[in-house]
Amino acid sequence: MAKVSINLATGSIQKEDIIVGIDLGTTNSLVAFIDPDKNPRVINDAGKGVLVPSVVHFGPTGDITVGNEAKEFLISDPQNTIFSVKRLLGRSYADVKDYQNFFSYKVIDDDTESLVKIKVGDKFYTPIELSGLILKELKERAEHALKTNVTRAVITVPAYFNDSQRQATRDAGKLAGLDVLRIVNEPTAASLAYGLGLNPEETKTIAVYDLGGGTFDVSILQIQNGIFEVLSTNGDTFLGGDDFDRAIADYWIEKNNIDKTELANNRELTQALRLKAEEAKKALSHQSLFNEKLCEIWCTLDRETFEKLILPKVQQTIASCQNALKDAKLTVADIDEVVMVGGSTRTDLVKKMVSDFFGRDVHNELNPDEVVALGAAVQADVLAGNRSDILLLDVTPLSLGIETMGGLMDTIIPRNSKIPTKAGRQYTTSKDGQVNMKIAVYQGERDLIKENRKLAEFELKGIPAMPAGFPKVDINFILNADGILKIQAIELRSGVKQEVEVKPAYGITDDLVEQMLMDSITNAKDDVSARMLIEAKTEAEQMIYTVERFLEKNGQLLSEQETNDTKQYTETLKAALSSGDKDLIHAKIDELNNLTRPFAERVMDVAIATAMKGKSIEGGTE
Ligand code: ADP
Ligand code: MG
């Protein structure tokens, strides 16, 4: 009998474990789910608030607090209070050493190439463990609020996160007891929250502007057939609302004639000023004047002054938008939608300048600090199968590979590989002096490429002329989280390189995938024999090519009889080739091989003897 559970919070029957969406932010984190009315909603557990500051505090007795409570310790116990751990996720010490002063806690590693650790008291923590603690807090809040187990999640990361940072995020989820079904790009999630990309027919270009607490990024996305592609990203990992707070605090310090060196020794006052500055900034989002007293300091700020203070920072973000457009080879006119993300986009000047730059109204109907989590919940809902109309890839449904000799499919990424994934293989040339190599990319399960779906074809040009088999061509397939396949071909000896990108899921439906899989099963036996025949033919062709080249170059080393025999055996093999009988081809290959093997040895001997006389022979041995 199937188990039916009832969600006590919503009173509805719950078919399955709920999947939550999590925004694991640098400054704040939050968790969202899809409510019974099918709307995404952020979780506010027991009125603790929606935003969970991404801060972890380690108390003297080993007690760990996360969120608002932990944030209090930023002033009183900075060494044991970890903030901005997201900046360290999946990073090595070499990556972060330039800004280690930013952290008030100890970031270390003995080996600069391995991942960083954080020292708290006499214990070491990895950023994965610390992020895991934040995720665990979110999981518990969700469980408490929804009164159900939460074991599966979608977690968002910035679009510019690399593989190592994405993997670290997954691992953090695992530590928190979450099965991370998908890592989603933050701008993708934000777009989903606005329903962009949910209509498979629509093609749109979107700019997502994300100004958070300490980081800024802008991404240009293209949506096609429900697939998101990141065309470009730009930004500054040290620009955000904190800079606004700092500018305000500095202004007050100036206005009140506060001695800066004295203030530098008073950490608590410095921090209190910063917090007051943040309060003023937020207040000015809905009123025009802020006027309060902190100890003996007058904290007065009107909106006009505030906007003057932050103008240079906001201008910087606009320059980034310009660069992002340039990298995507687009202009403002190509952008169909602009989505505002991050708490700092509540500031009027930011909204106005972004809207002016793009020349259109921006999406800010949803809370900008919630929109990423809301979109993650939508994505979770899609993965749960509740929105079957869209195909958002989790695993690659069909194998991806390239064409090799004789029209065979050589699979590089097998079907059902989890994405993102990466795989590669080395190839070489089949002809002497070959300077170009055709690389044709296919998708499907059949042995013959002609039965599969062609995705791309390009040529690696400029390979230096070398004997067949000498060039080493690495072909790498990189399939990212958005389902974009990047194919890189590099000739290792010369460094010649070529790269293309394709969308394997473009124009493919579930039905077609199913059909292709069925075909591969029904044709399995025929395919195997076809492959074996082609492999035999390819081997024979290579053999004929080599033998004919041999006769051209080294014919003088053979007797007339031997030359005639070789030619005749070669002709017999050619005849066998067209017979389509793989056993016959193999037999003739063996015969030709047995005949010519001693000749090759003879050439070797001559080469060695000649070399010992200090001369080299033309053609040489390979
Ligand atoms: P992150 O993505 O970096 O975790 P958030 O998107 O939560 O950060 O943004 C946090 C920033 O938003 C902080 O600098 C905070 O001061 C700022 N912020 C929050 N509310 C407002 C507001 N009403 N006006 C201006 N800035 C705000
Ligand atoms: Mg954010």
Side-chain angles (χ1 to χ4, degrees), residues 327-478:
D327 289 347
K329 299 192 176 62
L330 296 177
T331 66
V332 162
D334 298 313
I335 301 297
D336 301 311
E337 312 269 354
V338 180
V339 174
M340 299 295 265
V341 183
S344 299
T345 62
R346 289 180 194 265
T347 295
D348 281 331
L349 183 70
V350 173
K351 260 182 281 190
K352 185 173 178 309
M353 284 179 67
V354 174
S355 163
D356 285 352
F357 173 75
F358 286 103
R360 61 171 54 250
D361 285 344
V362 297
H363 279 291
N364 61 354
E365 307 91 290
L366 298 170
N367 284 334
D369 30 25
E370 296 177 1
V371 58
V372 168
L374 292 172
V378 172
Q379 172 86 38
D381 201 37
V382 171
L383 292 179
N386 297 336
R387 299 181 186 221
S388 55
D389 47 331
I390 30 176
L391 178 73
L392 287 167
L393 296 175
D394 191 25
V395 295
T396 172
L398 295 167
S399 299
L400 299 164
I402 65 166
E403 174 182 0
T404 53
M405 296 272 290
L408 285 180
M409 170 87 172
D410 197 20
T411 295
I412 294 184
I413 295 179
R415 67 178 293 261
N416 274 338
S417 297
K418 274 216 169 141
I419 59 173
T421 184
K422 215 164 57 176
R425 196 162 297 160
Q426 202 168 79
Y427 297 89
T428 188
T429 52
S430 55
K431 298 252 160 36
D432 288 344
Q434 186 179 333
V435 292
N436 293 339
M437 191 169 184
K438 183 186 90 175
I439 294 153
V441 182
Y442 285 84
Q443 153 181 72
E445 309 315 308
R446 303 289 295 274
D447 285 276
L448 305 179
I449 47 110
K450 70 175 194 329
E451 308 288 353
N452 288 332
R453 223 176 145 241
K454 188 171 192 171
L455 295 175
E457 182 177 319
F458 65 102
E459 227 166 319
L460 181 65
K461 289 190 179 148
I463 302 172
M466 284 182 255
F470 260 52
K472 289 185 178 168
V473 179
D474 261 3
I475 297 188
N476 293 311
F477 276 32
I478 302 142

Side-chain angles (χ1 to χ4, degrees), residues 488-499:
Q488 285 175 336
I490 309 163
E491 201 288 301
L492 296 179
R493 293 178 192 270
S494 59
V496 175
K497 198 170 157 178
Q498 182 79 33
E499 201 174 281

